[in-house]
Amino acid sequence: MSRAFPSITLRWLPVWRRNLRVWRKLSGPALIGNFGEPLLYLLALGYGLGGFIGEVNGLPYIVFLASGIVCASAMNTASFEGLYSAYTRMAVQNTWGGMLATPLSIDDIVLGEILWAGTKSLISSVPILLVAALLGVVHDISALGVLPVVFIIGVCFGAMALVVTALAKSYDFFIYYFTLVITPLFLVSGVFFPLDGMPDAVRIGAQLLPLAHAVDVVRPLMTGQPLPSLTLLYLMVPLLYAAGAFWLATVLFHRRLIS
Amino acid sequence: MLPEPKILPDLVVEAHGLTKRYGTQTVVDNLDLSVRRGECFGLLGPNGAGKTTTLRMLMGATLPSAGELNVLGYTIPQQARQMHLRLGVVPQQDNLDPDFTVMENLSTYASYFGLRGAALDARITDLLAFANLEAKAHVGIGTLSGGMKRRLTLARALINDPDLLILDEPTTGLDPQARQLIWQRLRTLLAQGKSLILTTHYMEEAERLCDRLVIIDSGRILVSGSPAELVRQHIEPHVVEIHGRGMDEWFNSIGQQFVQRSEHAGETLFCYLADERPLLDALRQCPELHFMHRRANLEDVFIKLTGKELRE
Ligand SMILES: Nc1ncnc2c1ncn2[C@@H]1O[C@H](COP(=O)(O)OP(=O)(O)O)[C@@H](O)[C@H]1O
Ligand SMILES: [Mg+2]
């Protein structure tokens, strides 16, 4: 079946709410899992490596790193949600099959899952921001402006992950996506080090990918530097990825689940 | 909230030429079906006959390769969403939410229909009673027995007070008591005027519950009618089952002449007859042979039509 753009209604809300309800029941362990690892990176690399590096772009290394970690953690959280958790709901628990017998459609489910991935990124970024603030590596209250950007990162990577889930035959498939997509993005998006030192090809390539621009917006918000003049345009990049992936995911899930 | 009740058509399902192909395999082959309002309609057939695929097409969960389909007055799959407001489904594989309690399963499912508020709370209370699960309302579903899970799935399917209920093997794997309870509940639903479509492996279940049924194999309808009609039309009225030492020799030399049709299944010989008396008289002369006489039933029809060999 050839399909136009997915239909967008408020029916994503019960899908999103169901996931929130499950998360609230299991939140304790999940939360520690979500921010424990990024926090370790922040502390170990920030202080450990930071001692050798000193300043980066005029910032103490841990201050530079904190904003990268916030973005990377949002990307990871949403990717896990869109891969492992969504796959479980689709193929193992058949939760989506139950939903599809009700007035909910695949478009509603996919949109609900994408917005949930964004929400999950948002939730897991809060403790990291808090700790960063306690460590004194956040400049001022304008760091709260990071939250909507984190949500956008989550929506973008949640949508991309769902495309992969729509093609996955088992959980094993996801490791390729992490190795081939997520980890390289992690390394070339200015999370750990500025891209200035990279070869031109990598630098320009990274500009076409969804994470680097988000880092460029989050970093000034957390460090109190001026925002890039093209901030809104920068944020369009992950949003465009999200829209494209949303559309592709609905096409693929239709093919997989209904035909 | 639920839409205005629409007048129900006399036929809650009308399918013409319904066909499903997967690659080169034709799983459902040019099926014509009609289900009347208020009846219990059975879809019977051996494993792999195409029952689940047929039900999934009826509910708009699988796109047909060909055919016309109307369910509750809606064209499927185009109007599946509107139809779903008035449909209840008990799928073959349980898909209850494992992270939720019994109550949360019901209220979450209700949210997919946009149901909420006091009316929903009352409905959930009623459904918990209907499913005999009041004591389990706040229990996680991991601790429920198979029968309880099935009843919860049934209760969940009723959350939107549907006109039509689709049940894919609702009692498979349940013990006899659990099965009886489900049967009782399904009869209550029929008495309330709901229409039911069910698949089952248990011929007794079909015989008890179904007003009409079809037996399908390889995606094609073999026969259709009421259970009593099918037994009358497709099989001799009496069955004598025989086993024991020397049975084959005895049957070839003596028994055969009294019997219209016979079939081996394992070590038992099934004899089908119009008049059972001469065979029973002859059997009484042979103390070596054990035998049992009974009326023919739907299971005999099913086995005659689909064969005795095991399908997995
Ligand atoms: N998604 C699918 N892809 C390919 N073959 C399928 C699919 N679903 C079912 N089949 C095949 O269709 C046939 C009928 O399956 P099904 O409708 O589940 O039978 P039943 O419910 O009567 O046991 C089986 O041979 C099954 O392997
Ligand atoms: Mg089946």
Side-chain angles (χ1 to χ4, degrees):
Chain A
M1 197 167 72
S2 70
R3 284 170 36 80
F5 203 73
S7 71
I8 296 180
T9 68
L10 272 183
R11 277 184 291 258
W12 59 268
L13 195 59
V15 179
W16 179 88
R17 222 189 274 126
R18 179 227 164 257
N19 290 348
L20 179 69
R21 207 172 184 180
V22 174
W23 177 81
R24 284 214 316 249
K25 292 189 73 128
L26 313 172
S27 57
L31 204 57
I32 288 171
N34 280 337
F35 81 95
E37 188 182 305
L39 225 50
L40 282 177
Y41 270 99
L42 181 61
L43 296 176
L45 296 183
Y47 288 120
L49 202 55
F52 294 96
I53 296 176
E55 294 207 336
V56 176
N57 287 3
L59 300 166
Y61 185 61
I62 190 165
V63 175
F64 175 88
L65 181 66
S67 39
I69 292 286
V70 165
C71 295
S73 149
M75 169 176 81
N76 264 332
T77 302
S79 299
F80 265 98
E81 197 60 32
L83 299 172
Y84 293 90
S85 306
Y87 187 84
T88 303
R89 294 191 274 273
M90 170 186 69
V92 182
Q93 297 178 184
N94 266 318
T95 312
W96 294 4
M99 290 174 171
L100 288 173
T102 74
L104 302 184
S105 68
I106 285 184
D107 297 352
D108 304 325
I109 294 174
V110 172
L111 185 55
E113 291 284 355
I114 289 174
L115 294 174
W116 169 245
T119 309
K120 199 66 193 291
S121 296
L122 190 62
I123 294 171
S124 67
S125 74
V126 170
I128 303 174
L129 276 175
L130 269 178
V131 173
L134 289 176
L135 293 174
V137 295
V138 168
H139 188 260
D140 61 25
I141 195 72
S142 64
L144 286 180
V146 165
L147 295 177
V149 184
V150 160
F151 182 76
I152 290 173
I153 297 174
V155 161
C156 168
F157 283 94
M160 286 167 54
L162 284 168
V163 171
V164 178
T165 297
L167 298 168
K169 296 277 176 276
S170 75
Y171 292 112
D172 299 337
F173 196 68
F174 301 144
I175 203 74
Y176 295 108
Y177 179 66
F178 268 102
T179 309
L180 296 175
V181 178
I182 297 297
T183 305
L185 268 180
F186 198 44
L187 294 174
V188 303
S189 297
V191 171
F192 293 115
F193 46 84
L195 294 180
D196 311 343
M198 300 290 269
D200 279 355
V202 175
R203 235 185 40 223
I204 294 165
Q207 297 304 308
L208 299 173
L209 298 173
L211 189 63
H213 291 291
V215 176
D216 285 345
V217 174
V218 165
R219 187 154 287 139
L221 283 169
M222 283 182 68
T223 56
Q225 295 171 325
L227 276 171
S229 52
L230 295 175
T231 292
L232 287 182
L233 195 64
Y234 279 13
L235 292 180
M236 284 311 288
V237 174
L239 283 172
L240 277 176
Y241 271 86
F246 174 36
W247 171 76
L248 187 55
T250 57
V251 170
L252 293 172
F253 279 123
H254 265 273
R255 197 170 295 167
R256 174 171 186 149
L257 299 174
I258 295 196
S259 61
Chain B
M1 289 293 105
L2 294 182
E4 290 295 302
K6 181 179 150 176
I7 304 296
L8 271 185
D10 290 332
L11 293 179
V12 291
V13 172
E14 263 187 286
H16 295 293
L18 195 59
T19 299
K20 182 66 190 180
R21 285 182 286 268
Y22 285 114
T24 56
Q25 190 194 7
T26 302
V27 172
V28 174
D29 195 356
N30 207 15
L31 221 57
D32 291 329
L33 285 180
S34 57
V35 178
R36 298 173 192 152
R37 182 174 22 139
E39 79 174 345
C40 178
F41 185 87
L43 197 57
L44 274 51
N47 274 334
K51 303 181 293 295
T52 297
T53 306
T54 303
L55 293 187
R56 285 181 56 84
M57 285 194 282
L58 296 190
M59 54 189 266
T62 292
L63 295 179
S65 309
E68 284 164 38
L69 182 56
N70 188 290
V71 179
L72 292 168
Y74 296 101
T75 305
I76 304 301
Q78 291 82 354
Q79 297 178 301
R81 184 200 294 283
Q82 293 95 307
M83 189 269 285
H84 286 167
L85 281 169
R86 316 172 69 216
L87 176 76
V89 177
V90 174
Q92 184 172 351
Q93 306 283 332
D94 268 328
N95 56 13
L96 296 166
D97 241 311
D99 300 313
F100 287 151
T101 65
V102 166
M103 184 93 120
E104 288 167 338
N105 261 284
L106 293 175
S107 57
T108 301
Y109 208 71
S111 75
Y112 305 155
F113 289 90
L115 301 171
R116 54 169 67 209
L120 174 64
D121 295 343
R123 176 115 195 110
I124 288 180
T125 307
D126 289 348
L127 287 174
L128 286 172
F130 180 83
N132 257 18
L133 288 171
E134 292 129 309
K136 301 282 180 183
H138 301 291
V139 163
I141 65 147
T143 62
L144 300 186
S145 69
M148 291 175 186
K149 282 191 188 149
R150 245 17 211 158
R151 292 197 314 268
L152 176 56
T153 305
L154 177 60
R156 195 186 67 170
L158 295 169
I159 198 84
N160 56 329
D161 194 17
D163 297 311
L164 172 65
L165 212 55
I166 289 182
L167 305 119
D168 199 354
E169 300 191 19
T171 64
T172 295
L174 301 190
D175 60 38
Q177 290 83 353
R179 189 172 302 150
Q180 294 274 356
L181 188 53
I182 300 253
W183 290 349
Q184 217 181 15
R185 293 302 186 260
L186 295 184
R187 254 193 293 274
T188 306
L189 295 172
L190 286 168
Q192 292 169 4
K194 300 200 184 298
S195 312
L196 265 53
I197 303 177
L198 87 121
T199 73
T200 178
H201 286 304
Y202 302 107
M203 294 304 132
E204 188 195 351
E205 180 165 304
E207 211 154 8
R208 282 171 177 237
L209 289 174
C210 294
D211 300 295
R212 294 187 312 130
L213 57 87
V214 294
I215 298 179
I216 65 173
D217 199 2
S218 308
R220 289 200 201 95
I221 295 183
L222 302 177
V223 292
S224 63
S226 73
E229 273 167 16
L230 292 177
V231 172
R232 203 167 343 109
Q233 289 168 6
H234 294 284
I235 198 127
E236 299 77 5
H238 295 279
V239 183
V240 177
E241 299 179 15
I242 310 172
H243 66 103
R245 204 141 47 83
M247 174 183 71
D248 288 328
E249 297 74 37
W250 177 84
F251 186 72
N252 289 334
S253 57
I254 302 172
Q256 206 162 25
Q257 57 184 313
F258 306 118
V259 172
Q260 273 77 52
R261 204 164 58 78
S262 66
E263 249 180 291
H264 264 286
E267 34 179 50
T268 304
L269 185 70
F270 289 76
C271 302
Y272 300 92
L273 329 93
D275 179 2
E276 78 287 12
R277 280 163 304 183
L279 180 68
L280 293 178
D281 287 342
L283 276 166
R284 289 194 186 100
Q285 314 295 318
C286 306
E288 297 269 87
L289 296 179
H290 306 274
F291 63 93
M292 189 189 75
H293 166 231
R294 58 176 175 79
R295 308 284 299 188
N297 60 31
L298 195 59
E299 181 136 13
D300 299 307
V301 177
F302 186 83
I303 286 174
K304 177 181 174 188
L305 295 172
T306 63
K308 282 205 191 298
E309 73 275 20
L310 190 62
R311 316 258 187 116
E312 274 159 339

